[in-house]
């Protein structure tokens, strides 16, 4: 594998694992869906899991890597409200759980930067 493809392929692996998790253990994702969204939380969980799988496939394919990486950065921005909801909902949990929820918030920044780096590697 060319070194330049490495960030995109690693990100594809992360997205594929997350996408699969949305279908294997959906309840934990359902709980993070903001109530303001129309429809059922499960539908949003499945839609975001499917989106992650599609983005992963796009990142793995050199011909679609650049566009998929840009879409991945936008996806990470779009799911940020779910992370905010999780942090708010977990504010009264034990310190370890609360810390995990709060740590997810700034984690979006490196994920977005990672996707941007993958976009620059292109084909």
């Amino acid at each position: 594998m060319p070194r330049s493809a490495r960030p995109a392929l690693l990100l594809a692996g992360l997205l594929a694992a997350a996408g699969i998790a949305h279908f294997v253990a959906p309840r934990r994702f359902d709980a993070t869906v903001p109530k303001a969204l129309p429809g059922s939380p499960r539908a949003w969980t499945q839609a975001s899991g499917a989106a992650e799988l599609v983005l992963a496939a796009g990142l793995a394919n050199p011909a679609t890597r650049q566009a998929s990486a840009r879409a991945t950065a936008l996806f990470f921005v779009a799911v940020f409200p779910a992370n905010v909801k999780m942090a708010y909902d977990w504010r009264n949990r034990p310190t370890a759980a609360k810390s995990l929820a709060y740590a997810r918030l700034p984690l979006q920044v490196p994920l977005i930067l990672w996707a941007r780096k993958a976009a620059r590697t292109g084909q």
Side-chain angles (χ1 to χ4, degrees), residues 5-21 52-53 55-61 65 72 76 111 114 118:
R6 188 177 186 93
L9 296 176
L10 290 172
L11 185 55
L14 175 75
L15 284 167
I20 290 167
E52 286 171 327
L53 292 171
L55 291 168
L59 286 166
N61 182 349
R65 183 168 296 143
T72 298
F76 288 142
L111 288 172
W114 188 1

